[in-house]
Amino acid sequence: MPSSKVSYVRLLDIKPSPENDDVYKSIDLDDPGIVELARSIMLYGFREPIVVTEDNFILSGHRRYAACQRLGRELVPVRVEPI
């Protein structure tokens, strides 16, 4: 059963999945959607942590990751999947 435990890790330790840009368009930190997501995270916090593999590759949350880069966040909430 996957762990639902949320912990905090340094944003610098998280790595975007190399396949993400192939599946989705690359993320621009100045995209209005990223700007709004960053604003929402700043005001209300996270609704869902960034989901990463055991070696810190992002499974879900590339846009949240980009928004946190835009905000200059050092620590972010993550949920680690046993992959």
Side-chain angles (χ1 to χ4, degrees):
M1 172 182 265
S3 171
S4 61
K5 182 181 173 193
V6 174
S7 58
Y8 283 80
V9 300
R10 292 179 340 141
L11 187 66
L12 294 174
D13 292 337
I14 297 174
K15 300 169 272 204
S17 172
E19 297 84 6
N20 192 67
D21 285 350
D22 295 337
V23 176
Y24 306 101
K25 68 178 185 172
S26 61
I27 297 172
D28 178 358
L29 294 181
D30 294 322
D31 178 279
I34 297 299
V35 172
E36 181 55 32
L37 180 56
R39 181 181 171 279
S40 176
I41 289 171
M42 184 176 60
L43 292 174
Y44 307 111
F46 281 79
R47 290 182 145 223
E48 177 71 22
I50 297 171
V51 181
V52 298
T53 61
E54 291 175 336
D55 55 354
N56 285 334
F57 279 97
I58 299 172
L59 292 172
S60 175
H62 286 85
R63 290 174 44 82
R64 283 168 272 162
Y65 172 83
C68 288
Q69 284 181 308
R70 184 172 175 81
L71 290 170
R73 297 276 299 251
E74 290 185 33
L75 296 175
V76 294
V78 299
R79 188 178 74 235
V80 179
E81 290 294 324
I83 297 174

